[in-house]
Amino acid sequence: MGWIMLALIGLMTAALLAVLRLPRTLWPLAGAALMLGAAGYAWQGQPDLAAQPVAADAVKLPPSFAYKKLRDTFFGRFGGESMYFGISDVALANGDPDFAARALTGGVDYAPQNAAMWSELGNVIALHDRGVVSPASLLAYRRAMMLAPQNPGPPLFLGLAYIRAGEFAKARPLWKHALDLTPKDASYRDEIVRRLALLDALLAEIAREQSAPR
């Protein structure tokens, strides 16, 4: 259902651009933003879930299969953090990011040198804070990057959090750093390259629009 809604949003965006008669120079910017949003959605959202009405105070945010697979790729599946990830994932699926954050806070208290749990704590805090990369979320991500400086996961996930927040320029150096840390033969390298290219296209359109004469 999610993919259908995303396609409808794309069609509505195109129609709106035409109806409002916006300059065609703005069309690539809107298209690049939509494509980048779709790329992030494929990692973080669950486009295969049926649409369901939810209460305003209980928005369900279940991590997608693609996101969990990527997380497992970077951090493994059977470490000490897997139990905490499972608790957090269930809490997010039930619309309780506060409990998810508290579970992972307990995890980092128990294992303060675990980069995977710090990285996921940053993600959950950002979701808890309505998608904003707050100082607490940034602190958790930075702690993960300090503990595992050669792991591309923490900068990649921090960049994804900035994408969700609409702070595209902040995401770019993080995704580039993640790509630099990624082995040439890694199975996920092409995905990072593709999303970085979409991000570069969006940033280029933003720069062109900002420099265009009014």
Side-chain angles (χ1 to χ4, degrees), residues 7 17 34 51 65 68 97 101 111 122 130 136 138 158 175 181 190 197 206 211:
L17 290 172
L34 186 62
F65 173 78
K68 290 189 284 187
R130 300 297 190 269
L138 184 59
L158 175 54
W175 279 9
L181 294 174
D190 287 346
I206 291 173
S211 63

Side-chain angles (χ1 to χ4, degrees), residues 8 11 27 56 72 77 127 158 166 181 187 189 194 199 201:
L8 288 175
L11 292 173
W27 289 33
D72 292 344
R77 292 186 58 189
L127 292 174
L158 175 54
L181 294 174
S187 60
R189 184 179 178 87
R194 186 164 66 89
L199 178 56

Side-chain angles (χ1 to χ4, degrees), residues 13 17 22-36 198 200-206 208-209:
T13 300
L17 290 172
L22 293 180
R24 285 186 176 272
T25 55
L26 294 180
W27 289 33
L29 177 60
L34 186 62
M35 285 190 298
L36 185 62
L198 287 172
D200 282 342
L202 175 60
L203 291 174
E205 289 296 336
I206 291 173
R208 277 194 287 271
E209 173 59 23

